[in-house]
Amino acid sequence: MSIVNPGPKYPPTRGEVWPKPQNETILKTYYTFNPSNFKVKITRENCPLLTSAVERYSYIVKSRISGRLSERKIVPGSKRRRQSDGMQELHQGALRELEIQLTAPCEDYPYLGMDESYWLAVGATSQLSSASVWGVMRGLETFAQKFYLTDDMNEIRINSSQVHDFPRYEHRGLLLDTSRHYISLANILKTLDAMSMNKMNVFHWHIVDDQSFPYQSEKFPELSLHGAYHSSMVYTKEDITRVIEYARVRGIRVMPEFDVPGHTRSWGNAYPNILTECYRSGEVVGLGPMNPIRNVTYKLIRELFQEVQAWFPDKYLHIGGDEVEMDCWRSNPEIREYMRNNNLTVSDLHAMFMRNTIPLLANETKVVVWQEVFDEGVPLANDTLVQVWKYLWIDEMVKVLEAGHRVLFSSAWYLDHLGGEWAELYAADPRQMVRDATGSDALLAHIVGGEACMWAEMVDDRNVISRVWPRASAVAERLWSAEQSGAGGWFVRTPPPAHAYRRLEEHVCRMNRRGVAAQPASGPGFCLP
């Protein structure tokens, strides 16, 4: 017999942080907050990035949070209200100041392995310290999340606390597909806001695919002219620059993906000669993957990638390599003859294509590929990131790691699997899976992180934000926070701790109040505006 009680299924916490900090002590004593009597002071290094972050979070704290009181025409910090809740003995006075100590000069652009650690002490004069501007940004997000309203919505409080925090994984990403459905610039920026709230640091922009080519190239304008869904559904150089800058000031890298040789049908609307003609019963039935034996294919790739890498400053470029329709290559008489003359299989042909493509990238480029490229035996530099996304992922990760490469994990974090909810995503921990499989920690350092993947067959501007959040928040906590006891793989579904359900309820409401339309996390409940 199931007993249902009225009220939220999981009552939300108050002033608790998502993702959960590595080390945190929270006391029952608290301070009250009045925005007119609060200031932020930078005491050491300063730079435009830090100033921008302080201004952004000052707005969040003073307007987004305290604005909820002003709408009720209530003055923050009334002694009468504090006495009415019976907690006056815990009240430590007003929160007056946040001192920010950046102990080293600012860096300009976020990168893999950047220092995101910080120390935060909440008191009348609170202190936030970090050796990097990226750590200060993460600490400011934590500080902003610690404010909460009293039950009667008459007072803003923040509890005394000490935090020493840092990420467990270096690469904490979200893949967004903007080809299957065009995603507006406004929703991309909103996605970056949500990523910042969840301390994610890589926006993997799967910008083009078979269905459309919305990247508006200056070297090859015909690609989007003929490949985009509509002339209004493109990303210009100015759009891309705006996304990169919006991400940069939030400590988020933008990693573009231009998948080759497969997933390129939209390229062929403008340049059909770079694709392979597919045959059936001696007749051409359509175009398939890039033609790997034509020089014109590599010429276009080289020139397009030169432009892409000039526009995107990140050292990492994802070149795909997955799901190549090899039957099309087998069907093509020209390619069959080439394979016969050179004693190659179609797998060899795939490997040859990738070997020819990687040297076309700019010097010092770090390559990211889907796991098929590794599986086909393509020689890869040790610093290549291999993104594991298929089934049997534990064995695959072990193979990649034992070969000396680094792993990005995504297999259990596909957000387009409509039945998967956040608790299932929360259970998967790639390092713990590999440790359980090998009985050793020797390979774990080369699992640099992972990504939640939002493929866009079934999402567009109308539902993409609510489909991603808060499910991607589960991945964000798994990649940031300390290892969960008992977490493992897809088949060892240790549920999240009960407290995580309650923290996520608060976080969903927090995201909604800050403009991110996250869907309900775990069942019946409510959010106040």
Side-chain angles (χ1 to χ4, degrees):
M1 178 168 47
S2 177
I3 302 298
V4 177
N5 294 316
K9 185 175 182 180
Y10 296 101
T13 53
R14 296 194 301 177
E16 298 207 23
V17 178
W18 192 284
K20 186 175 177 61
Q22 296 280 349
N23 301 286
E24 181 180 33
T25 302
I26 305 173
L27 303 181
K28 292 183 178 180
T29 54
Y30 67 89
Y31 298 85
T32 50
F33 176 71
N34 186 335
S36 61
N37 297 325
F38 175 78
K39 63 180 180 179
V40 179
K41 181 168 68 174
I42 299 171
T43 62
R44 296 280 295 273
E45 299 284 343
N46 200 355
C47 66
L49 265 180
L50 180 54
T51 301
S52 172
V54 169
E55 291 174 351
R56 185 168 64 254
Y57 280 99
S58 293
Y59 170 77
I60 289 170
V61 171
K62 292 184 178 182
S63 298
R64 291 286 192 177
I65 298 175
S66 64
R68 299 171 69 199
L69 288 185
S70 62
E71 291 172 2
R72 294 168 56 89
K73 297 181 173 59
I74 291 171
V75 178
S78 162
K79 181 177 180 181
R80 177 184 59 81
R81 285 188 301 276
R82 287 197 300 275
Q83 290 175 341
S84 69
D85 67 10
M87 294 184 67
Q88 63 271 21
E89 69 279 4
L90 299 176
H91 180 234
Q92 302 296 297
L95 180 73
R96 296 191 302 270
E97 186 175 66
L98 173 65
E99 292 184 352
I100 298 176
Q101 301 176 11
L102 175 60
T103 61
C106 288
E107 297 166 312
D108 291 329
Y109 189 81
Y111 56 91
L112 181 66
M114 61 187 172
D115 181 5
E116 297 172 271
S117 64
Y118 65 91
W119 292 260
L120 174 66
V122 175
T125 298
S126 299
Q127 294 184 325
L128 171 61
S129 176
S130 177
S132 83
V133 68
W134 321 116
V136 171
M137 290 180 188
R138 306 304 176 231
L140 284 169
E141 178 60 44
T142 293
F143 183 69
Q145 291 189 17
K146 283 182 164 290
F147 291 92
Y148 61 93
L149 285 173
T150 52
D151 289 340
D152 58 8
M153 295 189 68
N154 286 338
E155 193 169 71
I156 302 171
R157 294 176 179 175
I158 185 169
N159 283 70
S160 308
S161 59
Q162 299 275 344
V163 179
H164 174 214
D165 200 13
F166 52 89
R168 184 161 167 246
Y169 290 91
E170 298 174 341
H171 183 122
R172 306 179 306 283
L174 172 66
L175 178 152
L176 183 63
D177 167 17
T178 59
S179 172
R180 273 60 176 238
H181 281 97
Y182 178 81
I183 305 299
S184 67
L185 186 64
N187 267 335
I188 291 175
L189 301 182
K190 187 67 67 178
T191 297
L192 294 170
D193 284 333
M195 291 178 65
S196 177
M197 290 183 68
N198 288 273
K199 296 187 174 73
M200 301 181 91
N201 65 359
V202 182
F203 177 57
H204 176 168
W205 194 351
H206 188 90
I207 192 167
V208 301
D209 210 293
D210 284 324
Q211 290 75 16
S212 74
F213 198 103
Y215 171 87
Q216 190 176 77
S217 168
E218 292 183 350
K219 284 188 176 180
F220 302 99
E222 296 85 0
L223 284 168
S224 61
L225 180 65
H226 300 292
Y229 284 135
H230 186 268
S231 60
S232 65
M233 295 181 176
V234 296
Y235 304 109
T236 65
K237 182 180 182 180
E238 290 72 25
D239 293 334
I240 290 168
T241 299
R242 185 178 177 190
V243 168
I244 291 169
E245 179 62 13
Y246 199 89
R248 182 184 77 93
V249 300
R250 288 159 178 78
I252 299 170
R253 300 162 49 209
V254 179
M255 181 178 73
E257 179 183 356
F258 286 76
D259 198 348
V260 293
H263 292 280
T264 52
R265 180 59 186 85
S266 63
W267 304 44
N269 288 357
Y271 297 97
N273 58 329
I274 69 170
L275 301 186
T276 302
E277 291 182 329
C278 310
Y279 284 74
R280 183 183 301 127
S281 302
E283 299 290 332
V284 176
V285 294
L287 296 176
M290 288 183 163
N291 191 312
I293 65 173
R294 291 183 179 172
N295 291 334
V296 66
T297 303
Y298 299 105
K299 182 177 185 296
L300 188 147
I301 290 173
R302 181 180 65 250
E303 294 182 13
L304 180 65
F305 281 7
Q306 284 175 350
E307 177 185 82
V308 168
Q309 293 193 274
W311 291 6
F312 289 86
D314 203 87
K315 290 184 178 181
Y316 284 82
L317 177 66
H318 204 308
I319 60 171
D322 64 315
E323 295 185 317
V324 180
E325 289 289 343
M326 295 186 183
D327 284 344
C328 178
W329 282 349
R330 288 189 185 96
S331 76
N332 183 281
E334 179 188 14
I335 290 178
R336 281 207 311 269
E337 181 180 3
Y338 182 90
M339 290 192 295
R340 184 169 56 251
N341 292 340
N342 292 276
N343 195 30
L344 298 176
T345 67
V346 286
S347 293
D348 296 332
L349 204 63
H350 183 202
M352 182 195 77
F353 178 91
M354 301 308 295
R355 283 198 306 271
N356 291 342
T357 297
I358 290 172
L360 303 178
L361 306 180
N363 292 336
E364 300 183 3
T365 299
K366 307 296 184 183
V367 178
V368 190
V369 294
W370 296 104
Q371 69 178 69
E372 288 94 324
V373 178
F374 170 80
D375 294 340
E376 297 293 350
V378 177
L380 298 171
N382 283 346
D383 59 5
T384 300
L385 296 186
V386 178
Q387 191 158 6
V388 174
W389 69 279
K390 288 187 170 184
Y391 293 105
L392 302 176
W393 53 75
I394 299 175
D395 289 343
E396 181 75 13
M397 284 194 289
V398 172
K399 289 176 184 176
V400 172
L401 294 166
E402 288 180 340
H405 304 302
R406 296 182 296 169
V407 164
L408 286 180
F409 177 74
S410 290
S411 296
W413 293 333
Y414 266 43
L415 303 180
D416 56 311
H417 293 175
L418 299 182
E421 294 307 322
W422 77 268
E424 296 178 0
L425 304 171
Y426 194 92
D429 186 328
R431 286 182 182 164
Q432 192 161 350
M433 286 187 271
V434 169
R435 179 194 294 122
D436 291 346
T438 63
S440 169
D441 289 353
L443 301 173
L444 302 189
H446 282 176
I447 305 174
V448 299
E451 294 181 350
C453 298
M454 186 70 258
W455 301 105
E457 285 89 348
M458 300 300 292
V459 297
D460 61 11
D461 258 355
R462 293 167 293 184
N463 67 343
V464 63
I465 298 298
S466 62
R467 284 305 302 162
V468 172
W469 309 103
R471 294 186 304 146
S473 300
V475 179
E477 178 150 306
R478 183 51 46 239
L479 291 170
W480 179 280
S481 304
E483 182 174 312
Q484 180 193 359
S485 176
W490 195 253
F491 305 108
V492 185
R493 300 188 186 182
T494 304
H499 197 258
Y501 285 86
R502 296 187 59 216
R503 280 190 302 108
L504 190 55
E505 288 295 308
E506 179 183 16
H507 192 53
V508 166
C509 293
R510 180 189 294 131
M511 286 194 284
N512 275 276
R513 284 194 294 269
R514 284 168 58 175
V516 176
Q519 70 181 20
S522 304
F526 68 97
C527 292
L528 293 172

